[in-house]
Amino acid sequence: SRGVFAEPVRLELDQAKSFMIAVGHGGGVLGFFGQQHVILAPRWFDNIRFDNARVESSNAEVIVPIESLEVDTPEAARSAGMKNLKWDPETSKKILEALRGPDGLDMKDHPEIRFSSMSVQKSEGTQLLLKANLSLRGTTRQVETLVKIVSAENETLHFSGSFKIKLSDFGIRPPRSSPLSAMGDDCQVRYELYTKPRTIVAWNELHEKSRR
């Protein structure tokens, strides 16, 4: 026996509690009229398999439909911890339309954002170093993120972290006539992922079965 399971176990995420956001900073990414803006992915498809005995055998894939993205909604602001973010529905609509359009993520030809792990290894404390391919607008770039893992209430696991990207690396250079013209180039992606209740209990049950 390897001590935990014979292979990585697929995690079931609680999407109602989890979130993924992209935050622009001032005059940087999505800095429209000098205000910070937050893009929220309220839903996605995921296949995350985790082995806490051999983390290097873990892997993850996340697919975000661009049509599901939101900009500056109250939920996005709460996820970002930006209590003072002002929500102007009309401005948010214009930014979102431009973001989905040919000068932004080009949703018509590239309807998804895809995140696929390449390698996972242990780092300091309870952290993991995850290297992955991020694909959007038909371009793929490698990113790295430190993933912090902690045990949460109701026998769940909490994964959190962030990484930075440059939108120009993905061909996003909006003209001045676009609502995205005030965008800078740097964007921070943050994620907080919670598994469904009893994840740890399920692991222990699998552990016991693997020992029989």
Side-chain angles (χ1 to χ4, degrees), residues 26 31 84 132 145 156 183 190:
N84 297 323
T145 178
T156 64
M183 288 172 62
R190 305 178 196 166

Short mmCIF file of all heavy atoms in Angstrom, two decimals, residues 26 31 84 132 145 156 183 190:
data_model
loop_
_atom_site.label_atom_id
_atom_site.label_comp_id
_atom_site.label_asym_id
_atom_site.label_seq_id
_atom_site.Cartn_x
_atom_site.Cartn_y
_atom_site.Cartn_z
N GLY A 26 -5.71 49.90 -10.56
CA GLY A 26 -5.68 51.32 -10.90
C GLY A 26 -5.71 51.55 -12.39
O GLY A 26 -6.61 51.13 -13.09
N GLY A 31 -8.36 49.19 -15.94
CA GLY A 31 -8.42 50.43 -15.19
C GLY A 31 -9.24 51.44 -15.98
O GLY A 31 -8.72 52.24 -16.72
N ASN A 84 -15.29 49.03 -1.35
CA ASN A 84 -15.56 50.37 -1.88
C ASN A 84 -15.69 50.41 -3.40
O ASN A 84 -15.78 51.48 -3.99
CB ASN A 84 -14.46 51.33 -1.44
CG ASN A 84 -14.39 51.50 0.07
OD1 ASN A 84 -15.43 51.52 0.74
ND2 ASN A 84 -13.19 51.62 0.61
N ALA A 132 1.47 25.41 -14.93
CA ALA A 132 0.33 25.08 -15.78
C ALA A 132 0.37 25.88 -17.08
O ALA A 132 1.07 26.89 -17.20
CB ALA A 132 -0.98 25.38 -15.04
N THR A 145 2.01 29.08 -9.92
CA THR A 145 1.29 29.57 -8.75
C THR A 145 1.60 28.72 -7.54
O THR A 145 1.73 27.49 -7.66
CB THR A 145 -0.24 29.59 -9.02
OG1 THR A 145 -0.92 30.02 -7.85
CG2 THR A 145 -0.75 28.22 -9.43
N THR A 156 -13.68 19.61 4.94
CA THR A 156 -13.38 20.08 3.58
C THR A 156 -11.93 20.52 3.47
O THR A 156 -11.23 20.67 4.49
CB THR A 156 -14.28 21.26 3.18
OG1 THR A 156 -14.00 22.37 4.04
CG2 THR A 156 -15.75 20.90 3.31
N MET A 183 -6.90 50.06 -20.38
CA MET A 183 -6.29 48.88 -19.76
C MET A 183 -4.77 48.98 -19.78
O MET A 183 -4.17 49.42 -20.73
CB MET A 183 -6.70 47.61 -20.52
CG MET A 183 -8.14 47.20 -20.31
SD MET A 183 -8.63 45.83 -21.40
CE MET A 183 -7.50 44.56 -20.82
N ARG A 190 -6.76 35.46 -8.99
CA ARG A 190 -6.84 34.88 -7.64
C ARG A 190 -7.90 33.77 -7.63
O ARG A 190 -8.89 33.85 -8.35
CB ARG A 190 -7.24 35.94 -6.61
CG ARG A 190 -6.37 37.17 -6.56
CD ARG A 190 -6.93 38.13 -5.52
NE ARG A 190 -6.39 39.47 -5.65
CZ ARG A 190 -6.91 40.54 -5.05
NH1 ARG A 190 -7.98 40.40 -4.26
NH2 ARG A 190 -6.38 41.73 -5.22
#
